Amino acid sequence: MMKPTENLFENPQIDLSSLPAVEQMTMMPLEPVYKKVRIIVASLIAIVLIVVSWTFAWWQAPYLTYIHVPAILVTLLAIWIVAYNGISFHYMFYAVREKDISYQSGWLWKSMTTIPYNRVQHCDIREGLIDRQFGLAKLTIYTAGGQSADLMIPGLLPETAEKLKSYILDATEHSIETES
Amino acid sequence: MESGGNLYQPQRQSSWAIVLILLKYIRIIARQMWPILLIVLIKPTEGRGLIITAIALGIAILAMIYSIVAYTRYYYFVKNNELCVRSGVFRKLVLNVPFERIQSVDFKQNIVHQFLNVVSVQVDTAGSRGSELEIDAISLTQAEALRNLVLSYKKSHATEIAASGAQEAFETETEESPELILALSSSDLMKVGISANHLRTAAIIFAFFVGLADDVEQLLGWDVWGQLDDSTMAASVLGLIVVLSAIPLLLFVSFFITLIRTVLRYYNLKFWRDGKSYKVVSGLFTRNEKSIQKSKIQIIRWVTSPLKKMFGIFQMNIYQATSINQTRDKSLIIPGCYAQQVQHTLDTIVPAFKGATFTAHKMHPAIVVLVVSLVGFLPAVGFGFMAWFNDSIVQWLLVLIFPLSIWMGILYQRKRRFKIHPDFILSEGGIFGNTNRLIEIYKVQAVTIHSSPMQRRRGVSSLHIHTAGGEMAFAYIQTRVANQARDYILYRVETEKRSWM
């Protein structure tokens, strides 16, 4: 099934294995209380989905047979959303290196974004309504690569977020100075 | 400096701007209200007509007053190497754009502008949270003075930075005269028009009529779909004939519409290289002029389709760093290039690309399954249900999308390549045609790797490479290759001393 593994370059000029590998970084977990926030937010969405679908089913029941089937499916989806959000908390990490920052997320559908400091445009820290109740903040790092290239780290203590932000901005400033 | 001397004093636009502002508002209002206007025209009920006329007249007068006030309160000037605009009818708006933030100064002339001998100026600012600035109508000399001011500032600034390096900046600084890379002849314009994407126009026309039918139904109470159902769908065989004859008609109409659009848009197109910037001027009634500075170029794309291949032509797009997601709008589009012009343009923008040897990576064949299930299987199931429910032969035809998607998926997998060179990444793909996209690795902004459970089982991942001019995604390449590519790209970006724009 598997093909023989390929190399990035057939004829590399540099030793690829000597490059710092992103997979071997120390990954920092988010604040444990953030799991609660995720479950609360997901539950709110789930409740809305369940209420809307069953109200609709109850209202249409006299006219449509089997209308409860989609409602049951929506309920299962809602439960799945809550469960997935709870579980995926354990797969969310960030990693800070000398020259870049990475954020990893997702349990089944994994994704990891890395931004070099010398490409950072600006950072901001936001505290959502629920976040604030639990003393959390989220840090967003913007590049010129548009929305899909932005990196958002949720579930941080405001102090940590502030510290990370000033570290990144410092590093960005420094990299620009050496550039010109 | 003499020519743009008064640029430093706050000044109004050309007085013709009132007309253009008024036309702009009328266009906006008309776009919002056209369904209502349609009804007034179709169903003139006595008595109501008078009221509507009065309202229309009222709106027109208000728009006129608003335009005049907007005109008198709009001032632009240059101060401390910033372009400043003061405007606003109800609220006062002050916008200062530092010259170094300006990406491009483009001119646009629609037919009214041409008649009045003025241009509208669009100033694009990139970077974070950029905003755009538009001056509706000023004289061409004034506009050129403004642009020269910005360009000369940027040039002197650029040389300051590069002074220590003494590289590229000076090599091309020897005041080269502008080089005409491409002038689209009328026969080439025809080729571009004939080989344009007619299916897309057909889809737009189709969507337009679907939308129109809905609007008419809502507003007039005519049951357009019901009438169609009565006359065509009920008698399925007849319906089939109607639909089968409607398809060529639709294609025929789309063909002409795209042809006309192409002529309007690309008439007398000229593609210039002027020192360190690239410029495209084109258009029959509306003359559009767009330019991109070489250093701002992020992605170069060249595309050919089966029809284009027959004529031997390509379409090139040059994408630059943009503020928001308007990459399409802000790219230079150069249709009707021959291979030699594509090569020449690449040689001038990225000289090292010529003769560069790339290592190619294919996508895992499992991507066919993904493509087929997303664009083939799921829609086919949906259409199947619909056809079964409506008992319509015509709708069963839509299920053909499933076998079609298998064929397209296989073609896609066969052509898709992730190609890498120490300095470049080349994305190759296309189903019937060929699409190539080239980036310079040091201009990458961020890298993302995604993987689904299905992908991990096969040892593959999706690699997304973000640049300021758009994103390149490679689904289903070996995880090992994706990881190595990420590490290599990061290494290149982090050790790069050149600025990405």
Side-chain angles (χ1 to χ4, degrees), chain A residues 114-126:
Chain A
T114 308
I115 297 181
Y117 297 137
N118 56 357
R119 294 291 177 270
V120 173
Q121 291 275 330
H122 67 275
C123 305
D124 68 27
I125 295 172
R126 267 178 238 186

Side-chain angles (χ1 to χ4, degrees), chain A residues 117-146:
Chain A
Y117 297 137
N118 56 357
R119 294 291 177 270
V120 173
Q121 291 275 330
H122 67 275
C123 305
D124 68 27
I125 295 172
R126 267 178 238 186
E127 291 170 37
L129 207 66
I130 300 171
D131 280 344
R132 212 173 315 156
Q133 303 304 314
F134 291 88
L136 291 176
K138 64 175 76 130
L139 172 71
T140 313
I141 302 160
Y142 300 87
T143 69

Side-chain angles (χ1 to χ4, degrees), chain B residues 332-380:
Chain B
L332 281 191
I333 305 170
I334 311 123
C337 294
Y338 290 95
Q340 170 233 339
Q341 284 149 344
V342 173
Q343 190 59 53
H344 180 69
T345 312
L346 285 168
D347 284 348
T348 59
I349 302 174
V350 277
F353 175 64
K354 196 178 191 174
T357 42
F358 284 79
T359 308
H361 301 279
K362 289 179 99 170
M363 308 293 128
H364 192 280
I367 196 168
V368 181
V369 180
L370 180 80
V371 171
V372 169
S373 55
L374 281 181
V375 303
F377 185 69
L378 286 178

Side-chain angles (χ1 to χ4, degrees), chain B residues 43 212-231:
Chain B
K43 261 197 173 177
L212 191 69
D214 280 344
D215 274 351
V216 170
E217 185 176 344
Q218 272 177 21
L219 295 165
L220 297 179
W222 291 350
D223 186 0
V224 178
W225 294 125
Q227 286 187 3
L228 274 179
D229 264 340
D230 287 348
S231 56

Side-chain angles (χ1 to χ4, degrees), chain A residues 75-179:
Chain A
T75 309
L76 290 176
L77 176 76
I79 293 168
W80 167 255
I81 288 172
V82 177
Y84 189 86
N85 270 284
I87 295 169
S88 64
F89 168 79
H90 299 283
Y91 295 84
M92 302 166 89
F93 301 98
Y94 67 94
V96 181
R97 295 199 297 184
E98 194 193 332
K99 290 187 168 161
D100 53 37
I101 182 161
S102 306
Y103 174 66
Q104 182 182 349
S105 66
W107 165 41
L108 294 177
W109 289 273
K110 287 184 194 303
S111 106
M112 182 177 206
T113 300
T114 308
I115 297 181
Y117 297 137
N118 56 357
R119 294 291 177 270
V120 173
Q121 291 275 330
H122 67 275
C123 305
D124 68 27
I125 295 172
R126 267 178 238 186
E127 291 170 37
L129 207 66
I130 300 171
D131 280 344
R132 212 173 315 156
Q133 303 304 314
F134 291 88
L136 291 176
K138 64 175 76 130
L139 172 71
T140 313
I141 302 160
Y142 300 87
T143 69
Q147 230 173 30
S148 58
D150 295 339
L151 198 153
M152 193 194 75
I153 309 176
L156 296 172
L157 291 177
E159 307 91 76
T160 322
E162 204 57 61
K163 240 187 336 203
L164 272 175
K165 182 183 166 185
S166 60
Y167 175 74
I168 292 165
L169 291 181
D170 222 47
T172 305
E173 199 82 358
H174 186 71
S175 67
I176 287 168
E177 263 165 36
T178 50
E179 237 168 54

Side-chain angles (χ1 to χ4, degrees), chain B residues 23-36:
Chain B
L23 285 176
K24 193 163 86 177
Y25 290 134
I26 288 175
R27 226 172 22 234
I28 293 168
I29 293 168
R31 206 178 295 152
Q32 296 295 320
M33 309 216 305
W34 71 267
I36 299 171

Side-chain angles (χ1 to χ4, degrees), chain B residues 429-449:
Chain B
I431 293 172
F432 303 115
N434 284 84
T435 304
N436 304 281
R437 294 196 299 156
L438 180 73
I439 58 168
E440 290 171 272
I441 291 181
Y442 79 91
K443 290 184 176 174
V444 170
Q445 301 284 330
V447 185
T448 305
I449 293 184

